[in-house]
Amino acid sequence: MVDLSQYLPILLFLGVALALSSAFVFLPIGVSRVTGAHKPTPEKLAEYECGFPAFEDSRSQFDVRFYLVAILFIIFDLEAAFIYPWAVSVFHLGWTAWFAMMIFIGELALGLAYAWKKGALDWE
């Protein structure tokens, strides 16, 4: 026979997690309704990112170059995130870490050169 009392801490943890996540989702909604912050007006419902109403269908396709530029941005953003902690600790890690980072930067440089040669960075 299995002793189910061993699962009590897990069930308590799941219950607390469910209660807290529900509170973080539904409590602000309830507070905004009570305090009057949820009164939609034309100004609140207006576009706020670009400043003018959309003039095309929202399901229109973007040019693939937009996605290529976004992917390249993410890659080089992650590169910066990896280089900073490496630069702080490179003297403690030794030559192996230095050569590993140079290989990493070389691969990224090759990728950038390839994207540049293929015209992924040219915008019309």
Side-chain angles (χ1 to χ4, degrees):
M1 182 94 185
V2 177
D3 186 19
L4 295 178
S5 65
Q6 294 176 352
Y7 292 105
L8 184 62
I10 296 171
L11 290 175
L12 286 174
F13 179 77
L14 289 175
V16 168
L18 183 65
L20 282 176
S21 61
S22 297
F24 284 135
V25 170
F26 296 115
L27 193 61
I29 294 171
V31 169
S32 70
R33 296 225 185 241
V34 170
T35 61
H38 180 75
K39 292 183 181 173
T41 62
E43 288 82 16
K44 287 184 181 180
L45 298 175
E47 294 80 9
Y48 61 92
E49 288 184 5
C50 60
F52 57 88
F55 51 86
E56 291 184 6
D57 187 17
S58 63
R59 294 178 298 262
S60 63
Q61 293 181 347
F62 285 100
D63 191 6
V64 71
R65 288 177 291 186
F66 173 78
Y67 297 108
L68 288 174
V69 170
I71 289 171
L72 288 172
F73 172 76
I74 290 171
I75 288 171
F76 288 104
D77 189 41
L78 288 175
E79 176 191 9
F82 283 131
I83 286 179
Y84 180 73
W86 169 81
V88 170
S89 62
V90 69
F91 295 114
H92 301 291
L93 297 175
W95 286 103
T96 305
W98 189 84
F99 285 119
M101 185 56 75
M102 291 305 113
I103 291 170
F104 177 66
I105 291 174
E107 289 174 352
L108 286 174
L110 283 174
L112 178 62
Y114 177 77
W116 199 333
K117 182 181 178 202
K118 289 292 184 179
L121 300 177
D122 295 335
W123 205 261
E124 299 169 358

